[in-house]
Amino acid sequence: MASLATNPIQEAHLVKRAPIFLSLLATTALLTACGSSETPAPSASTPATVDALSETPGPIGVPDGMGSPGVGDGEFPRTVGHFGGSTEIPAEPTRIVVIATGQLDAALTLGVVPTGVAYGDGAALIPEYIATEFPQYSDEMAGFVDVGNRQAPNLEAIAALEPDLILANKAGSEENYGTLSAIAPTVLTEGTGVNWKQDFLLLADALGKTEQAQTFLDDFTTRASQLGSQVEPGTTVSFVRFTADRARVFGVPSFAGFIAWDAKLARPESQQFDKTSQDFSEEEIQLANADWVFVGSQDAGPNSRAETYTSNPLWTGMSAATENHIVTVDDDPWYLNAGPTAATLVLDGLTETLTR
């Protein structure tokens, strides 16, 4: 049996559970809710090819008309335009619920500790990388209230917390926006990994910490550029993820893809498509190949999809495999939590691997 990779960087996973409270569901029927905009499943056909090093794959600032232009950091009340509309936040929030992927990461990066937290599919309430990177908040994190799965949060548990700010993604919470807004001021970021910089800035605006977030992003971009200057031109990187039922390669407009773009790292032609990701079969394993392959997996145990693919002779025969250039990475920061500290860990991993 072939191992998933030969150069481990990190691994993850913790535990979860959920509380309950009064019913607030009757509110939902009385409020307007729009259709959800989940990230579409990748097409089986090959998507349109893009130039991996040309146009920015994702937004780097808050869209016009959003945020709270002209309102300084720390100033409240503030009215924040966002992907669900416009929300007034009367005072600096102290009881915050975060629902979306990466928002726990983003809040903690800004020094803000939420009260209620949702978890992602197959993930812990507190991802291991979060516990590792923010030990100063370990006591507060032990008291987090579980508000359910990010795709179907427990509205009663959220209401019971009496929050003064709810943060969520349009991609996963658009249908619940009316109900959430009835509970507390609610701000929707856009969601999906390629929007991580824009979403970080919008979340920071709601917290009154835009300058801090922008400084973080400026420093991140500088570090990424420094990495690119140290890597031999043309060196390609591949991003691969295995779940229980899917094997995917990630394109330029993805979380890891955007970070690679910041560093001006080349991508194999098979991953220069204008989509977050594309499924690949065992017969198409060569689509995963590059000079370096970074692999995340929800499950790499016996009989898992990861084990099946990575023991296939087509995998073990890839040039990356024969050259010992397949790297196992922590699935949470690389492929699940599109937050600023996760982005830092991805950049650290790329730097450690490509500059040694």
Side-chain angles (χ1 to χ4, degrees):
M1 185 189 312
S3 65
L4 179 59
T6 50
N7 299 303
I9 289 181
Q10 292 175 313
E11 294 162 335
H13 291 321
L14 280 179
V15 206
K16 44 187 180 326
R17 205 46 274 151
I20 320 172
F21 193 63
L22 291 163
S23 174
L24 208 130
L25 298 180
T27 315
T28 309
L30 302 175
L31 296 165
T32 304
C34 306
S36 72
S37 57
E38 302 283 340
T39 305
S43 165
S45 59
T46 303
T49 300
V50 297
D51 183 346
L53 299 180
S54 61
E55 187 176 333
T56 308
I60 59 173
V62 174
D64 291 343
M66 294 192 188
S68 54
V71 181
D73 275 13
E75 281 188 43
F76 292 90
R78 64 199 298 127
T79 299
V80 180
H82 55 90
F83 285 90
S86 181
T87 297
E88 181 180 3
I89 304 172
E92 183 174 3
T94 59
R95 294 180 62 78
I96 301 163
V97 170
V98 292
I99 295 176
T101 298
Q103 289 184 339
L104 173 59
D105 176 325
L108 292 174
T109 301
L110 294 170
V112 176
V113 183
T115 301
V117 178
Y119 59 85
D121 290 338
L125 184 66
I126 307 171
E128 187 174 324
Y129 87 92
I130 292 284
T132 299
E133 295 301 315
F134 298 102
Q136 67 271 37
Y137 301 129
S138 58
D139 290 344
E140 292 96 326
M141 288 192 286
F144 279 164
V145 174
D146 183 337
V147 297
N149 187 289
R150 289 168 182 166
Q151 298 302 319
N154 185 328
L155 300 176
E156 294 92 344
I158 294 172
L161 289 174
E162 300 182 351
D164 46 22
L165 178 65
I166 299 171
L167 298 166
N169 276 345
K170 176 184 176 182
S173 297
E174 191 173 32
E175 288 186 356
N176 287 328
Y177 176 65
T179 303
L180 293 171
S181 295
I183 297 171
T186 300
V187 170
L188 297 187
T189 53
E190 186 170 10
T192 71
V194 75
N195 296 314
W196 77 272
K197 294 182 180 183
Q198 161 202 275
D199 287 356
F200 181 41
L201 288 170
L202 188 54
L203 176 145
D205 194 313
L207 297 174
K209 295 179 178 290
T210 304
E211 292 178 13
Q212 184 180 338
Q214 188 61 61
T215 297
F216 178 98
L217 292 176
D218 291 343
D219 292 344
F220 180 89
T221 302
T222 298
R223 279 196 58 213
S225 180
Q226 290 170 346
L227 166 60
S229 68
Q230 298 175 64
V231 176
E232 183 177 348
T235 301
T236 55
V237 293
S238 166
F239 301 112
V240 178
R241 184 176 188 234
F242 296 109
T243 61
D245 57 354
R246 297 174 72 180
R248 287 183 284 168
V249 289
F250 284 75
V252 180
S254 63
F255 182 57
F258 197 170
I259 295 167
W261 184 92
D262 271 330
K264 293 297 179 279
L265 301 176
R267 303 296 305 281
E269 187 175 351
S270 62
Q271 292 170 35
Q272 292 186 34
F273 49 78
D274 191 16
K275 237 179 184 179
T276 299
S277 65
Q278 180 184 1
D279 290 348
F280 68 99
S281 66
E282 286 192 69
E283 293 73 26
E284 298 172 314
I285 276 175
Q286 190 60 33
L287 297 177
N289 199 21
D291 293 320
W292 289 92
V293 181
F294 297 86
V295 183
S297 177
Q298 282 187 318
D299 176 14
N303 301 317
S304 66
R305 186 164 294 261
E307 193 276 337
T308 300
Y309 272 63
T310 59
S311 61
N312 188 309
L314 293 176
W315 180 278
T316 57
M318 289 193 309
S319 61
T322 59
E323 293 171 16
N324 197 30
H325 283 185
I326 297 179
V327 184
T328 297
V329 299
D330 184 343
D331 194 47
D332 258 314
W334 283 69
Y335 297 110
L336 277 179
N337 287 277
T341 292
T344 298
L345 292 175
V346 174
L347 184 58
D348 288 347
L350 291 170
T351 302
E352 177 185 331
T353 299
L354 301 176
T355 62
R356 64 181 176 215

